[in-house]
Amino acid sequence: MRKYWNSFTDVIFKTPMATHTVKDDHEKQQQDSHVGSKDENIDRGNWTNKKEYMLSMIGYAVGLGNVWRFPYLAYKNGGGAFLIPYVIMLAVAGIPLFFLESSFGQFCSQGPVNVWRALPIFQGVGVAMVLVSTLVGIYYNVIIAYSLYYMFASFQSPLPWSDCFYWSNSNCSLTPREVCNITPAANWSEPVFAANMTLWENETCPKENIIRIPVQSPSEQYWDLVALQRSSGLDETGPVVWHLALCLLLGWLLIAAALYRGIKSSGKVVYFTATFPYVVLLILLIRGVTLEGARDGIGFYIGSQSNLTKLGEAEVWRDAATQIFYSLSIAWGGVTALSSYNKFHNNVFKDALTVCLTNCGTSVFAGFAIFSILGHMAHVYGKPVSEVAQAGFGLAFIAYPDALSKLPISPLWSILFFFMLLTLGLDSQFAGIEVISTCLQDAFPDTFKSKRSIISVGTCAILFLLGLLCVTQAGIYWVTLMDQFCAGFVLLIAALLELVGVVYFYGGNRFIKDIEMMIGTRSSLFWLWWRACWFFITPAVITVILVWSLLTFRPPSYGTVQYPAWGVALGWCMIAFCLIWIPLVAVWKILCAQGNPWQRMCAVCSPVEGWGPYLEVHRGERYAGGQRYYRKNSLHLPDNVYHISNNFTRL
């Protein structure tokens, strides 16, 4: 245990990293299943080819939010007009952050924790990212379990949520229920139910006297009573819902199998999981536009109902920035982890631009497929599209399944839709678990270097056990709680600190020179935009989103169910658990440094000895010999602290 503890502290609390050289040891490569014979980095391995990296990145960035959140936001915020702030926020926040993170990971070939050997005082930011990915991984796979369950339930005709079957209660109805609130006459009965506005003896109830009785659709009751077996609130945990637990287990088995050999195996899986959703979306779009009412749905989404006056509302811009930020999976650690397996001279700029544009294009494309069928559903029910359009769980597991049940051969469309959700979720989970595996491998390189399968299987097993709470009868409340707190403030704070650390402490100009070591020298005009974003625009955008989110914070709720005070407090504790490592690691680094307080601060605010490209062949003159560099003109230090010993933080 002492050996493992020392290895862990080497990553979190120890500053140096040995300079690595290229080795030609084919026998060693064969022992390490995650390393290929053509890899330039035989310690960590590389992507087999560029396609696998790009598909993995696209699969990571394109997730469930592209299908169940963006279309609703576009409809809600002015339709086609919403694309204006959306594209602007992509340019000033999304692409700059994605480019920064992928460049950071590729330059040093390290995960989200070890990259901060460039700036030890900020290494807690990497720890926070790993913890967020862990917590998100717990509940995100529960959503995959929901998709698996619905996919399996779709193998029957008629679909079980197409009508009020034996599992429903008296509040289930396919049509609205109304009563006529009038004084009964001799030929009236009380109460009087108005079906299609007609009462017996051909009497018609005046519109002002009609009272609508709240009812639930079959798809809504199936979701609550059958799939979730939902309890009354977070206080009532209830037993484990075993069909969801088995689907959760299956989901983790799929992920463990795909990650058995790390990126070497997951890179093969993404050939299918990253491309299949586009096939399904295209099929659904073609089917949707042929349905009656599809024009109305698309019109509400992004067509004739576009409202340019919405651009004057600040909330529209906030929604656009938030959607860009979360849909690109920024500050989760996954972008850094996946790019760390690139070859050093890979064109990271071109890749970042391609992934970001593909992600946003997918969001727009998915909206047409979703709203064309929702328009048909509104036509069947005789309702406006605004009454059937939903976001999140309401869209994926209530509104859209209901719409699909109205189509001919409805089981086929339902199977395709939920299989698409499954593949979208799996891609994102691959990268999330890769974050954990990469950091563990960096922490214990000698122990886990040839045991990648143990890391993957062990991580999946532990997260499966932790996720069982989310498949109890109160599971949906836990999923909603974790989603609102874990995937919110922590990511904004981590992204802001990441920018501040790289640009203002490490040095934005130095970071640009690091990137040019990988992609070649670029003109000052090329870097003008990125400097403007990294130094000023992007930090300002994140700060505004963070402050606004805090000021407009509302306690979480699920439908009409409010969370108890202890549940909200627990959510804030999750945030604190992730963020507390940022000051703790910073303080520890300062305490372990030598010298007076000023010298200690200078030491932890500068790269450690050995920082730079992972392989000696790529270090060049700037990082030759693995010596420690300070930014020119940023610090004025005495000669005796210019080179700092590499053992002053050993426990």
Side-chain angles (χ1 to χ4, degrees):
M1 291 299 295
R2 178 70 178 177
K3 179 180 69 172
Y4 295 130
W5 173 251
N6 288 338
S7 298
F8 177 74
T9 56
D10 283 348
V11 174
I12 305 299
F13 302 123
K14 182 183 174 185
T15 56
M17 178 178 118
T19 301
H20 295 266
T21 59
V22 179
K23 303 175 182 179
D24 186 17
D25 190 348
H26 297 289
E27 180 180 351
K28 189 175 183 180
Q29 290 177 3
Q30 292 175 357
Q31 293 175 353
D32 299 340
S33 61
H34 65 285
V35 178
S37 59
K38 297 182 180 180
D39 291 348
E40 69 176 17
N41 190 328
I42 65 171
D43 288 334
R44 303 181 79 253
N46 297 109
W47 294 99
T48 302
N49 54 57
K50 184 68 168 285
K51 291 180 182 178
E52 294 185 4
Y53 167 68
M54 292 300 294
L55 289 174
S56 297
M57 271 293 199
I58 291 173
Y60 179 46
V62 177
L64 296 171
N66 297 75
V67 174
W68 73 16
R69 178 171 168 80
F70 173 83
Y72 178 79
L73 285 180
Y75 148 74
K76 170 189 169 186
N77 292 308
F82 182 69
L83 292 181
I84 297 175
Y86 186 70
V87 172
I88 292 175
M89 290 302 169
L90 172 66
V92 302
I95 297 177
L97 277 169
F98 200 94
F99 182 29
L100 182 144
E101 287 196 358
S102 53
S103 300
F104 208 16
Q106 180 175 309
F107 178 72
C108 62
S109 299
Q110 292 290 290
V113 175
N114 271 19
V115 292
W116 288 106
R117 287 178 169 177
L119 205 62
I121 197 172
F122 279 80
Q123 203 162 30
V125 175
V127 178
M129 291 180 179
V130 176
L131 291 176
V132 168
S133 290
T134 303
L135 292 175
V136 170
I138 293 173
Y139 78 81
Y140 200 85
N141 222 51
V142 176
I143 302 175
I144 293 178
Y146 296 157
S147 302
L148 279 169
Y149 174 75
Y150 267 80
M151 185 181 72
F152 293 143
S154 299
F155 283 90
Q156 52 186 307
S157 183
L159 291 173
W161 54 83
S162 61
D163 206 342
C164 298
F165 295 114
Y166 66 92
W167 43 261
S168 61
N169 58 33
S170 58
N171 201 35
C172 178
S173 177
L174 285 169
T175 57
R177 290 179 182 172
E178 299 169 335
V179 295
C180 189
N181 185 26
I182 62 174
T183 302
N187 58 345
W188 292 75
S189 296
E190 183 181 7
V192 181
F193 286 88
N196 296 328
M197 298 296 297
T198 301
L199 304 179
W200 51 68
E201 297 191 8
N202 295 324
E203 296 288 349
T204 300
C205 182
K207 290 183 179 180
E208 61 272 14
N209 293 332
I210 294 178
I211 300 176
R212 176 167 293 186
I213 299 177
V215 295
Q216 290 181 309
S217 66
S219 61
E220 186 176 358
Q221 286 214 345
Y222 186 85
W223 168 244
D224 286 336
L225 302 180
V226 181
L228 299 180
Q229 298 180 15
R230 181 163 64 93
S231 64
S232 60
L234 196 64
D235 295 307
E236 185 184 351
T237 301
V240 170
V241 181
W242 287 107
H243 59 257
L244 291 181
L246 292 175
C247 290
L248 180 64
L249 176 61
L250 177 58
W252 281 118
L253 289 175
L254 292 173
I255 293 170
L259 295 174
Y260 189 75
R261 294 180 56 225
I263 60 171
K264 296 300 184 183
S265 55
S266 67
K268 303 297 185 293
V269 176
V270 294
Y271 278 107
F272 174 75
T273 57
T275 57
F276 182 76
Y278 292 95
V279 176
V280 176
L281 285 174
L282 181 60
I283 294 174
L284 291 176
L285 175 61
I286 294 173
R287 183 67 183 99
V289 296
T290 62
L291 297 172
E292 195 172 2
R295 182 187 296 271
D296 295 333
I298 294 175
F300 266 88
Y301 165 52
I302 209 167
S304 59
Q305 302 295 325
S306 296
N307 184 5
L308 290 173
T309 61
K310 283 279 190 177
L311 298 179
E313 300 178 11
E315 185 177 358
V316 174
W317 293 84
R318 185 196 68 171
D319 284 346
T322 303
Q323 176 63 15
I324 284 290
F325 189 86
Y326 294 131
S327 67
L328 290 175
S329 302
I330 296 169
W332 301 71
V335 175
T336 303
L338 293 181
S339 61
S340 71
Y341 295 102
N342 276 333
K343 294 183 178 180
F344 185 76
H345 291 295
N346 174 64
N347 192 335
V348 65
F349 168 72
K350 181 180 178 181
D351 294 347
L353 197 63
T354 301
V355 172
C356 291
L357 294 178
T358 301
N359 172 75
C360 296
T362 303
S363 297
V364 177
F365 177 63
F368 286 101
I370 296 298
F371 269 84
S372 62
I373 293 183
L374 289 182
H376 174 68
M377 176 184 175
H379 172 77
V380 171
Y381 282 128
K383 297 179 179 179
V385 179
S386 59
E387 292 188 17
V388 299
Q390 300 184 50
F393 297 114
L395 172 65
F397 301 107
I398 298 177
Y400 209 72
D402 191 7
L404 293 175
S405 68
K406 304 296 183 291
L407 301 179
I409 325 176
S410 56
L412 173 63
W413 306 114
S414 184
I415 292 169
L416 286 175
F417 175 72
F418 288 111
F419 194 40
M420 179 191 68
L421 292 186
L422 170 64
T423 55
L424 285 171
L426 287 177
D427 283 336
S428 299
Q429 276 292 78
F430 290 161
I433 304 305
E434 191 62 48
V435 171
I436 303 171
S437 300
T438 297
C439 291
L440 288 175
Q441 186 181 7
D442 290 343
F444 310 106
D446 296 333
T447 303
F448 291 128
K449 186 176 180 181
S450 59
K451 298 180 176 64
R452 190 61 183 240
S453 58
I454 295 178
I455 300 178
S456 299
V457 174
T459 301
C460 292
I462 293 173
L463 295 185
F464 164 71
L465 295 176
L466 294 175
L468 288 176
L469 179 64
C470 296
V471 290
T472 60
Q473 291 183 348
I476 190 63
Y477 303 117
W478 288 104
V479 170
T480 304
L481 181 72
M482 296 174 71
D483 180 60
Q484 178 157 342
F485 283 97
C486 297
F489 299 114
V490 178
L491 298 179
L492 292 171
I493 294 173
L496 182 60
L497 291 177
E498 182 180 47
L499 269 172
V500 171
V502 172
V503 173
Y504 291 102
F505 284 80
Y506 180 74
N509 292 328
R510 176 180 179 173
F511 183 61
I512 288 174
K513 291 181 180 179
D514 291 342
I515 297 175
E516 288 185 334
M517 289 178 65
M518 298 184 290
I519 67 174
T521 304
R522 295 292 193 271
S523 66
S524 57
L525 185 63
F526 172 85
W527 291 113
L528 180 63
W529 172 252
W530 305 110
R531 281 192 172 97
C533 289
W534 288 339
F535 279 87
F536 307 110
I537 302 176
T538 307
V541 170
I542 296 177
T543 302
V544 170
I545 298 174
L546 178 60
V547 173
W548 197 340
S549 299
L550 289 170
L551 293 177
T552 59
F553 172 79
R554 296 177 182 175
S557 62
Y558 181 80
T560 59
V561 179
Q562 300 297 318
Y563 279 66
W566 66 266
V568 178
L570 183 60
W572 288 109
C573 288
M574 293 180 192
I575 294 177
F577 173 69
C578 295
L579 295 179
I580 193 64
W581 293 95
I582 298 176
L584 284 181
V585 173
V587 171
W588 180 267
K589 291 287 186 180
I590 294 172
L591 292 177
C592 290
Q594 291 181 339
N596 59 47
W598 172 245
Q599 292 172 343
R600 290 170 182 248
M601 286 299 299
C602 292
V604 298
C605 291
S606 300
V608 303
E609 183 179 355
W611 161 255
Y614 193 91
L615 300 177
E616 182 69 30
V617 69
H618 296 140
R619 299 181 73 85
E621 295 182 0
R622 295 184 65 226
Y623 293 94
Q627 71 178 39
R628 186 173 187 156
Y629 291 90
Y630 291 97
R631 276 192 295 139
K632 186 180 295 186
N633 300 327
S634 64
L635 297 173
H636 300 282
L637 301 174
D639 293 339
N640 63 336
V641 296
Y642 188 83
H643 297 287
I644 298 181
S645 172
N646 65 357
N647 60 2
F648 66 85
T649 56
R650 186 179 299 277
L651 289 179

